[in-house]
Amino acid sequence: MDKLRERRNLFILGVAIATSGLALYYMLSKKKKKLTIDQQLNLDRDKLHIINRIKDKYHISYENMVKIKGHILSEFQLGLQKVDGESQSSIKMLPTFITKKPNGTEEGICYALDVGGTNARAIKVKLDGNGKAEILETRKQVIPSSLMNGRGDDLFDFLAACLSDVLDEGAERYSIGFTFSFPVDQRNVRSGYLIKWTKGFNTSDVTGKDVVKLLDQALERAGIKAEITVLINDTVGTLIASSYLNTEHETIAGIILGTGSNAAYVEKQSSIEKLDEKDNDGIMVINTEWGNFDSPLYKYLIPTEQDIMLDKDSINFSQQHFEKMISGMYLGEIVRLELMELSESSLFRHNNSENILKPYHFGTEMMSEIEKDNTPTLSNIESFLSKLSIPNTTYFERKLLKELCTAVSVRSARLVAAAIAAIVEKVGKIDEHCIVAVDGSLYELYPNYADNIKNALNEMGYSKVILKLTKDGSGIGAALAAAVLSNE
Ligand code: GLC
């Protein structure tokens, strides 16, 4: 009997030892697996140091964010003042002569032509009078780079042709909202003189001219009977569209975060000192053109060597400094310039790919792909880079690239948050829920970008701001503005 018990005890002991042995092996092997990845980083202080250096270089601290917000606010105020000659503000604060927002009851069929960065888009919109807008037809065309750098008449003929594709045949005359997303000097809603091109455009014979007249002439050349009822910026369109679509809270601003970046907001006419005639009880939408903040000299932003290089080699040197740090056209180029430098010190050994060698060949959409990868070995980045003829990267190189993209995109989001906070403060809505309507591919598609703006706003105490994606706002807004004006 004793022997039997002894054997059973021995058996139980054996099973216990084997089980704990297995458990220990499993734990160790898990740890070992983890080590093989981290080994390449955490245990290598030099590599960790390089990554941290990049992170620090692009970091905007809470204190800096608050300071930048203050400087933007001062430039907003300065930009609204009356001056003899050139304004001292780097932010233009352009009056738009839009003095009414839609209330959701507008109805009918409207047309709009939307000329932004990369594309021209013509749309036919149905407004149903219940805060709903439906795009019935759309014609989108990439603006060829030959037209971005060619003759004005050719560009406007191209735009007229794009518009004619959505117009109903047989109508007597059409009323059209024209979204033209560049800085224009306006004296009324039906005209606007181009102040300067931005976003890589350099078409001749347009600067200083009335773009409505240029489009009118092109429509006439094409034999189209149409009237441009209203000219607006894309930010203004986004603001107007959101006022129609979202009636639960007031929309105070429209923002574009795409190829370029800019904001429009609703100001009291009594605060727009530079307006010659004003209704002191009325409002007017102001197109800030915040992309030019801190130009021509960097006084408040802290540019990296790469920012300075990008600016120097751009076709609009010393202009749009803020835009060059935040918008989709430039983020990829900042990363590319960093990669060039890292490859000089052999930290990223792949400088023979076109995407790294050629300016603007590393696009912001590539950063997006890179930031999306959350696999333990960053294997998606590896296959993505292989497709760009950048094969055989090490884990460290992939990790470095991902951290670089994050650093550059988070810097953009924090700078944007500072600028949004300046608008919220300008209109005195810090303690109220209000909507800031946003459109643009950077905001819509870039991983974590929208959350990074929201978190930065919360960090600064602007947690009541509701950021609302307003897709196609720029086009719908122009159609709506045309409808609001035709009801007058
Ligand atoms: C550029 C333009 C501006 C536009 C913005 C977004 O900054 O100057 O007018 O609103 O891009 O498209």
Coordinates of all heavy atoms in Angstrom, one line a residue, residues 94 115-117 180-184 196-199 233-236 255-264 287 289-292 320 323 327 439, ligand 1:
L94 N -8.4 87.9 -45.4 CA -9.1 88.5 -46.5 C -10.6 88.5 -46.3 O -11.2 87.4 -46.1 CB -8.8 87.6 -47.8 CG -7.3 87.5 -48.2 CD1 -7.1 86.5 -49.2 CD2 -6.8 88.9 -48.6
V115 N -11.8 74.5 -58.0 CA -10.4 74.4 -58.4 C -9.5 74.5 -57.2 O -9.4 75.6 -56.6 CB -10.0 75.5 -59.4 CG1 -8.6 75.3 -60.0 CG2 -11.0 75.5 -60.5
G116 N -8.9 73.4 -56.9 CA -8.1 73.3 -55.6 C -6.6 73.2 -55.9 O -6.0 74.1 -56.5
G117 N -6.1 72.1 -55.4 CA -4.7 71.8 -55.7 C -4.5 71.0 -56.9 O -4.2 71.5 -58.0
F180 N -12.3 78.8 -55.9 CA -11.0 79.0 -56.4 C -10.1 79.1 -55.1 O -10.1 80.1 -54.4 CB -10.9 80.3 -57.2 CG -9.6 80.5 -57.9 CD1 -9.2 79.8 -59.0 CD2 -8.8 81.5 -57.4 CE1 -8.0 80.0 -59.6 CE2 -7.6 81.8 -58.1 CZ -7.2 81.0 -59.2
S181 N -9.3 78.0 -54.9 CA -8.6 77.9 -53.6 C -7.2 78.5 -53.6 O -6.2 77.8 -53.4 CB -8.6 76.5 -53.2 OG -9.9 76.0 -53.2
F182 N -7.1 79.8 -53.8 CA -5.9 80.5 -53.8 C -6.2 81.9 -53.2 O -7.4 82.3 -53.2 CB -5.3 80.7 -55.2 CG -5.0 79.3 -55.8 CD1 -6.0 78.7 -56.6 CD2 -3.8 78.7 -55.6 CE1 -5.7 77.5 -57.2 CE2 -3.6 77.4 -56.2 CZ -4.5 76.8 -57.0
P183 N -5.2 82.6 -52.7 CA -5.6 83.9 -52.1 C -6.0 84.9 -53.2 O -5.3 85.2 -54.1 CB -4.3 84.4 -51.5 CG -3.2 83.5 -52.0 CD -3.8 82.3 -52.5
V184 N -7.3 85.5 -53.0 CA -7.7 86.5 -53.9 C -8.2 87.7 -53.2 O -8.7 87.6 -52.1 CB -8.9 86.0 -54.9 CG1 -8.4 84.9 -55.8 CG2 -10.1 85.5 -54.1
K196 N -1.5 85.9 -55.3 CA -0.3 85.1 -55.7 C -0.7 83.6 -55.8 O -1.7 83.2 -55.2 CB 0.8 85.2 -54.6 CG 0.3 84.7 -53.2 CD 1.4 84.6 -52.2 CE 1.0 83.9 -51.0 NZ 1.9 83.9 -49.9
W197 N 0.0 82.9 -56.5 CA -0.3 81.4 -56.6 C 0.4 80.7 -55.4 O 1.3 81.2 -54.8 CB 0.4 80.8 -57.9 CG -0.3 81.1 -59.2 CD1 0.2 81.8 -60.2 CD2 -1.6 80.6 -59.6 NE1 -0.7 81.8 -61.3 CE2 -1.8 81.1 -60.9 CE3 -2.6 79.8 -59.0 CZ2 -3.0 80.8 -61.6 CZ3 -3.8 79.6 -59.7 CH2 -4.0 80.0 -61.0
T198 N -0.2 79.6 -55.0 CA 0.4 78.8 -54.0 C 0.3 77.3 -54.5 O -0.1 77.1 -55.6 CB -0.4 78.9 -52.6 OG1 -1.8 78.7 -52.9 CG2 -0.2 80.3 -52.0
K199 N 0.8 76.4 -53.6 CA 0.7 74.9 -53.9 C 1.3 74.5 -55.3 O 0.7 73.6 -56.0 CB -0.8 74.5 -53.9 CG -1.4 74.7 -52.5 CD -2.9 74.3 -52.5 CE -3.7 75.4 -53.1 NZ -5.2 75.2 -52.8
N233 N -13.4 80.7 -51.5 CA -12.2 79.9 -51.2 C -12.8 78.5 -50.7 O -13.9 78.4 -50.2 CB -11.4 80.6 -50.1 CG -10.1 79.9 -49.8 OD1 -10.0 79.1 -48.9 ND2 -9.1 80.1 -50.7
D234 N -11.9 77.4 -50.8 CA -12.4 76.1 -50.4 C -12.7 76.1 -48.9 O -13.6 75.4 -48.4 CB -11.4 75.0 -50.7 CG -10.0 75.3 -50.4 OD1 -9.7 76.4 -49.8 OD2 -9.1 74.4 -50.6
T235 N -12.0 76.9 -48.1 CA -12.2 76.9 -46.6 C -13.6 77.5 -46.4 O -14.3 77.1 -45.5 CB -11.2 77.7 -45.9 OG1 -11.1 79.0 -46.6 CG2 -9.8 77.1 -46.0
V236 N -13.9 78.5 -47.2 CA -15.2 79.2 -47.0 C -16.3 78.2 -47.4 O -17.4 78.1 -46.7 CB -15.3 80.5 -47.9 CG1 -16.7 81.1 -47.8 CG2 -14.2 81.4 -47.6
I255 N -11.9 74.5 -42.3 CA -10.4 74.3 -42.5 C -10.1 73.3 -43.6 O -10.8 72.3 -43.7 CB -9.8 73.8 -41.1 CG1 -10.0 74.9 -40.1 CG2 -8.4 73.3 -41.2 CD1 -9.5 74.6 -38.8
I256 N -9.1 73.5 -44.3 CA -8.6 72.5 -45.3 C -7.2 72.0 -44.9 O -6.3 72.8 -44.6 CB -8.5 73.1 -46.7 CG1 -9.9 73.6 -47.2 CG2 -7.9 72.1 -47.7 CD1 -10.9 72.5 -47.6
L257 N -7.1 70.7 -44.8 CA -5.9 70.0 -44.5 C -5.7 69.0 -45.7 O -6.0 67.8 -45.6 CB -5.9 69.4 -43.2 CG -5.8 70.3 -42.0 CD1 -6.3 69.7 -40.7 CD2 -4.4 70.9 -41.8
G258 N -5.2 69.5 -46.8 CA -4.9 68.6 -47.9 C -3.6 69.0 -48.6 O -2.6 69.1 -47.8
T259 N -3.6 69.2 -49.9 CA -2.4 69.6 -50.6 C -1.9 70.9 -49.9 O -0.7 71.0 -49.6 CB -2.7 69.9 -52.0 OG1 -3.4 68.8 -52.6 CG2 -1.4 70.2 -52.8
G260 N -2.8 71.8 -49.6 CA -2.4 73.0 -48.9 C -3.2 73.1 -47.6 O -3.9 72.2 -47.3
S261 N -3.0 74.2 -46.9 CA -3.8 74.3 -45.6 C -4.2 75.8 -45.4 O -3.4 76.7 -45.6 CB -3.0 73.8 -44.4 OG -3.8 74.0 -43.3
N262 N -5.4 75.9 -44.9 CA -5.9 77.3 -44.7 C -7.2 77.2 -43.8 O -7.7 76.1 -43.6 CB -6.3 77.9 -46.1 CG -6.7 79.3 -46.0 OD1 -6.4 80.0 -45.0 ND2 -7.3 79.8 -47.1
A263 N -7.6 78.3 -43.3 CA -8.9 78.4 -42.5 C -9.7 79.6 -42.8 O -9.1 80.7 -43.1 CB -8.5 78.3 -41.1
A264 N -11.0 79.5 -42.7 CA -11.9 80.6 -42.8 C -12.7 80.6 -41.5 O -13.0 79.5 -41.0 CB -12.8 80.5 -44.0
N287 N -11.4 84.9 -44.9 CA -10.4 83.8 -45.4 C -9.0 84.2 -44.8 O -8.4 85.2 -45.3 CB -10.4 83.8 -46.9 CG -9.3 83.0 -47.4 OD1 -8.6 82.2 -46.7 ND2 -9.0 83.1 -48.7
E289 N -6.0 82.7 -44.8 CA -4.8 82.4 -45.5 C -3.6 82.2 -44.5 O -2.5 82.7 -44.6 CB -4.4 83.5 -46.6 CG -5.3 83.5 -47.8 CD -5.1 82.3 -48.7 OE1 -4.0 81.7 -48.8 OE2 -6.1 81.9 -49.3
W290 N -3.9 81.3 -43.5 CA -3.0 81.1 -42.4 C -1.7 80.4 -42.9 O -0.7 80.4 -42.2 CB -3.6 80.4 -41.2 CG -3.9 78.9 -41.3 CD1 -3.4 78.0 -42.2 CD2 -4.8 78.2 -40.4 NE1 -3.9 76.8 -41.9 CE2 -4.7 76.9 -40.8 CE3 -5.5 78.6 -39.3 CZ2 -5.5 75.9 -40.1 CZ3 -6.2 77.6 -38.6 CH2 -6.2 76.3 -39.0
G291 N -1.7 79.8 -44.1 CA -0.5 79.1 -44.6 C 0.7 80.0 -44.7 O 1.8 79.5 -44.7
N292 N 0.5 81.3 -44.8 CA 1.6 82.2 -44.9 C 2.1 82.7 -43.6 O 3.1 83.5 -43.5 CB 1.2 83.4 -45.8 CG 2.3 84.2 -46.3 OD1 3.2 83.6 -46.9 ND2 2.4 85.5 -46.0
Q320 N 4.6 81.2 -47.4 CA 3.8 80.0 -47.0 C 4.6 79.1 -46.0 O 4.6 77.9 -46.1 CB 3.3 79.1 -48.2 CG 2.5 79.9 -49.2 CD 1.1 80.3 -48.7 OE1 0.9 81.5 -48.4 NE2 0.2 79.4 -48.6
E323 N 2.3 76.7 -44.0 CA 1.8 75.6 -44.9 C 2.9 74.6 -45.2 O 2.6 73.4 -45.3 CB 1.3 76.3 -46.2 CG 0.7 75.3 -47.2 CD -0.1 76.0 -48.3 OE1 0.5 76.6 -49.2 OE2 -1.3 76.0 -48.2
S327 N 1.2 71.0 -44.5 CA 0.2 70.5 -45.5 C 0.8 69.3 -46.3 O 2.0 69.0 -46.3 CB -0.3 71.5 -46.4 OG 0.7 71.8 -47.4
D439 N -11.9 69.5 -44.0 CA -11.9 68.7 -45.2 C -10.4 68.6 -45.7 O -9.6 69.4 -45.3 CB -12.8 69.2 -46.3 CG -13.1 68.2 -47.4 OD1 -12.8 67.0 -47.2 OD2 -13.7 68.5 -48.4
Ligands
GLC1 C1 -3.4 77.3 -50.1 C2 -4.2 78.5 -50.7 C3 -5.5 78.7 -50.0 C4 -6.3 77.4 -49.9 C5 -5.4 76.3 -49.2 C6 -6.1 74.9 -49.2 O1 -3.0 77.7 -48.8 O2 -3.4 79.6 -50.7 O3 -6.3 79.7 -50.6 O4 -7.4 77.6 -49.1 O5 -4.2 76.1 -50.0 O6 -6.5 74.5 -50.4

